[in-house]
Amino acid sequence: AVHRPRAFREAGDTDDAGMTGSHGRISGILLAGGQGRRMGGVDKGLQLLRGQPMARHVIDRFAPQVDELLINANQNLEQYQSLGYRVIPDAIGGFAGPLAGLHRGLSEAAHPLVVTAPCDSPFLPLDLVVQLKAALDANNAELAVAKTGDQPHPVFSLCRKSVLPSLTAFLESGGRKIDLWYSTLKVVEVPFADEAAFRNINTREELTASE
């Protein structure tokens, strides 16, 4: 199932930034590769929220914004496949964090732009991708990251596939911290007004409160 955002509907269309065809197409990566330690070691994306897996709530808001969706997961692969999208585990072992998920996503993505969202943020903005892309293009940046107030949200970012060699080298050197890797790139921070849209659910208590 492929959902196309309004801005990138057909290969000949001109998107909002004046780019045409495949240049504006975007692959989305749902990051579900963690161990869910703060939730008791369970797979967060599969925990039920209002009767549906948390990942399904994220997909319902995220998939319509991209041209392709991939799910990065390292366990319960069949359950994630049942959500209707291709599942890709980390290429780097040991649960190396969201950068490992982005790394595999960049390797597998069909399109030149790749955007990520985590499986535990079921309220993400419906205009996330269009805002990130507008800022990326306007600033000729390599990566655009969402921000509310003074707080960047690095797992909500859009980057060019051309950053893959940089990320590979960073991970191979043992790097894991997203902001350290960002510091090597041309980054634009993109302000969003609604802090609650970026709220993530880490614990059982937060899950219960979100019901």
Side-chain angles (χ1 to χ4, degrees), residues 5 19 28 37 43 83 90 100 115 117 125 152-153 159 170 186 194 197 202:
M19 301 168 72
R37 283 192 291 260
D43 199 327
L83 296 174
D90 294 351
V115 62
H153 302 284
C159 64
F170 181 78
K186 184 175 182 185
D194 184 7
N202 279 313

Side-chain angles (χ1 to χ4, degrees), residues 94-195:
F95 293 92
L99 282 183
L102 173 59
H103 173 263
R104 182 68 199 277
L106 285 166
S107 304
E108 298 291 331
H111 301 306
L113 299 173
V114 174
V115 62
T116 58
C119 68
D120 61 356
S121 294
F123 315 110
L124 66 90
L126 295 172
D127 63 347
L128 174 72
V129 177
V130 72
Q131 296 285 0
L132 292 176
K133 184 177 186 298
L136 188 85
D137 290 340
N139 293 273
N140 194 27
E142 293 175 288
L143 185 144
V145 59
K147 182 178 185 180
T148 53
D150 294 328
Q151 178 66 50
H153 302 284
V155 286
F156 295 92
S157 67
L158 171 72
C159 64
R160 302 186 190 278
K161 241 183 133 171
S162 55
V163 303
L164 179 57
S166 154
L167 179 55
T168 301
F170 181 78
L171 289 167
E172 285 178 350
S173 73
R176 295 293 180 264
K177 289 188 177 296
I178 293 182
D179 49 355
L180 276 181
W181 175 59
Y182 279 7
S183 68
T184 68
L185 304 175
K186 184 175 182 185
V187 176
V188 57
E189 294 183 330
V190 185
F192 285 82
D194 184 7
E195 274 185 54

Side-chain angles (χ1 to χ4, degrees), residues 50 120-124 156 195-201 206 209-210:
R50 300 171 190 168
D120 61 356
S121 294
F123 315 110
L124 66 90
F156 295 92
E195 274 185 54
F198 294 92
R199 181 161 55 91
N200 65 324
I201 296 174
E206 289 170 355
S210 297

